[in-house]
Amino acid sequence: MSHIDTLIAEHCPDGVRYFPIGDPVVSKQVLAGATPKSGRDEFWDGGTIPWMSSGEVNKGTVADTDKYITQAGYDSTSTKMVPSGSVVVALAGQGKTRGTVARTAIDLCTNQSLASIVVADGMRSDFLYHYLRTQYRQLRDVSSGDGTRGGLNLLMIRSYRVPVPPVAVQQEIVRILDQFAELEAELEAELEAELEARKQQYEHYRTETLSFGPEVRWSTLNDVAEYTNGKAHEKLADPDGEVPMVTARFISRNGEANRFVRLEDVKTPANVGDTALVLSDLPNGRALARTFYVGRDNAYAINQRVARLRVRDVARVDPRFLFHVLDRNPGLLRHDNGVDQTHLSKSQVTGLNFPVPSITEQRRIVETLDAFDALVNDLSIGLPAEITARRKQYEHYRERLLTFKEKAA
């Protein structure tokens, strides 16, 4: 029997009572945030009061903030100062923000899309923080709105039930989880460092592999591929859509979709073998000229500021070769001056010098680069998979420690 099992057997053999977060057993207060009116410089310039935005909930532990408001700005809001040692829940936000929790390590105030739980004396804030991290999906399920926006409200937070084991049990669980998280973070940092080294090695090898001299025949991209600009699909986005919208974000995140359209609404479809190319990015951005290889018919909608390239003759140019050559191609990146946002034009893309070695050599290069790329990037193998496994291992262990038999009232 583990030490935590011994404590539970000693202090709560019949189970653990659950209480709503708004109950005095759990919290002293559940506070709403507020935001000073934008455009009022006197609310921000020279501010000294830490102000937490909704995006900062993803830090986990908030020991500093990106913005500070003045006393005048603080007085103009309906919020109260949130004391250090509170738990903050995102009520709304884009993407995966809603339902995310953080703990505060400083006194601060928050914006209107965050709720702050000031814990009661018998509830350890670190314990509540760890527990609510296991409730992300459940919190999103009880919230209102669609999959990207909408949100929770104070009534939902106050009504949400959480376990309140004896303080000794809470403290031991927190100690174990913090220790486990520290070890997990150290291992993950080592894996991340190894992955970064592999990426640099891959980029060096890739550059060498795709460097061609005068012995190789050269052409223009227009000669080997058909260019099509993607069309705007934003207004057609549908939470029930089944076709991912291919945007710069989608490509830079290796095909992680966050917006969808219905198949019948797709204006710029893609077929197997097409390459999607990012045309626009901020100065020195990492998305410009990134590519995505299409592996299925009728499965993607190419959005505006993304180009669709389709090989004209597959007997002459292998589609995967096109994908590899165009990805972060130096001839396209030279148009980024590092000052202004870059918008690659059709002529800049189609006029790119493109190497055309023999089809046999192209396929050899593709086989080699695909294998190396899979080792570095594919989530099913290699170091990324090990990093993901570490995270899942920690999450599984955390959920086991924070699952209690409920004691009858």
Side-chain angles (χ1 to χ4, degrees):
M1 179 179 289
S2 68
H3 181 49
I4 190 67
D5 290 332
T6 301
L7 284 174
I8 289 175
E10 178 183 349
H11 293 282
C12 43
D14 299 324
V16 171
R17 289 285 304 278
Y18 280 65
F19 295 88
I21 288 176
D23 192 287
V25 172
V26 179
S27 67
K28 296 177 181 177
Q29 291 177 298
V30 180
L31 303 172
T35 303
K37 294 179 181 178
S38 60
R40 297 284 295 275
D41 291 341
E42 67 268 26
F43 290 164
W44 303 101
D45 291 348
T48 58
I49 301 172
W51 180 80
M52 181 180 172
S53 66
S54 57
E56 292 180 284
V57 75
N58 294 301
K59 292 179 178 178
T61 300
V62 181
D64 194 11
T65 60
D66 297 333
K67 288 186 177 181
Y68 290 78
I69 61 173
T70 62
Q71 190 62 49
Y74 174 71
D75 289 342
S76 73
T77 71
S78 59
T79 191
K80 296 181 179 179
M81 186 67 72
V82 177
S84 175
S86 299
V87 177
V88 180
V89 183
L91 301 177
Q94 295 185 349
K96 300 179 180 179
T97 300
R98 174 165 38 107
T100 305
V101 297
R103 49 186 170 184
T104 64
I106 54 172
D107 295 347
L108 48 76
C109 57
T110 75
N111 80 354
Q112 72 276 12
S113 63
L114 298 173
S116 303
I117 305 165
V118 184
V119 298
D121 293 338
M123 171 65 75
R124 294 296 177 262
S125 63
D126 288 342
F127 174 83
L128 182 60
Y129 162 73
H130 282 300
Y131 179 76
L132 289 179
R133 287 186 69 195
T134 71
Q135 302 299 294
Y136 172 76
R137 177 50 55 191
Q138 291 88 331
L139 286 169
R140 290 180 70 87
D141 287 344
V142 301
S143 67
S144 59
D146 61 32
T148 56
R149 299 193 70 85
L152 296 155
N153 57 46
L154 289 186
L155 178 61
M156 294 173 182
I157 297 298
R158 291 189 177 112
S159 303
Y160 199 83
R161 298 171 70 250
V162 296
V164 185
V167 171
V169 175
Q170 293 182 43
Q171 290 175 330
E172 180 61 13
I173 289 174
V174 168
R175 185 192 69 79
I176 293 171
L177 288 177
D178 281 347
Q179 185 180 57
F180 194 92
E182 184 178 350
L183 291 173
E184 189 263 349
E186 291 177 0
L187 288 170
E188 187 168 311
E190 292 177 5
L191 292 170
E192 292 282 5
E194 176 64 19
L195 179 57
E196 184 59 32
R198 292 282 183 89
K199 286 181 177 179
Q200 292 179 6
Q201 181 185 13
Y202 170 60
E203 285 303 318
H204 175 77
Y205 183 76
R206 179 177 173 276
T207 300
E208 291 292 319
T209 302
L210 295 175
S211 296
F212 302 96
E215 72 281 358
V216 169
R217 186 174 58 174
W218 289 76
S219 186
T220 64
L221 183 60
N222 186 63
D223 184 50
V224 301
E226 173 190 331
Y227 176 103
T228 302
N229 272 317
K231 294 182 174 64
H233 290 84
E234 286 87 350
K235 293 183 179 180
L236 300 171
D238 190 322
D240 295 322
E242 65 275 27
V243 180
M245 195 186 304
V246 178
T247 62
R249 178 191 181 278
F250 172 93
I251 295 174
S252 63
R253 298 195 179 188
N254 298 317
E256 179 185 309
N258 70 328
R259 286 183 291 178
F260 298 81
V261 297
R262 295 181 182 274
L263 181 60
E264 59 267 26
D265 292 333
V266 175
K267 294 183 176 182
T268 319
N271 293 336
V272 173
D274 289 346
T275 289
L277 173 75
V278 177
L279 298 175
S280 180
D281 196 12
L282 298 173
N284 300 312
R286 297 297 299 169
L288 184 68
R290 282 286 305 274
T291 57
F292 174 77
Y293 184 79
V294 176
R296 293 179 291 160
D297 287 336
N298 299 317
Y300 299 100
I302 308 298
N303 202 46
Q304 61 184 342
R305 292 183 289 278
V306 176
R308 184 190 71 194
L309 283 305
R310 181 171 293 169
V311 168
R312 296 184 185 276
D313 182 1
V314 295
R316 183 185 178 203
V317 175
D318 187 293
R320 287 289 296 180
F321 182 73
L322 177 79
F323 158 76
H324 282 297
V325 171
L326 290 184
D327 191 35
R328 299 290 286 176
N329 186 283
L332 297 175
L333 295 180
R334 66 182 178 84
H335 297 292
D336 180 3
N337 62 17
V339 178
D340 306 309
Q341 182 165 358
T342 304
H343 301 282
L344 294 173
S345 67
K346 178 179 179 180
S347 61
Q348 288 171 336
V349 175
T350 59
L352 179 72
N353 285 330
F354 191 89
V356 189
S358 70
I359 194 69
T360 302
E361 178 63 9
Q362 291 179 44
R363 289 168 181 164
R364 185 195 65 78
I365 291 171
V366 166
E367 183 178 0
T368 301
L369 292 181
D370 281 352
F372 215 133
D373 182 69
L375 176 63
V376 175
N377 295 312
D378 194 337
L379 291 180
S380 65
I381 62 173
L383 292 171
E386 190 170 352
I387 291 171
T388 300
R390 296 287 185 185
R391 291 172 180 165
K392 288 183 177 179
Q393 181 184 22
Y394 170 69
E395 290 169 3
H396 174 74
Y397 189 61
R398 181 184 65 195
E399 290 187 11
R400 283 190 60 191
L401 280 176
L402 292 170
T403 299
F404 304 95
K405 180 180 73 174
E406 184 171 357
K407 181 178 181 180

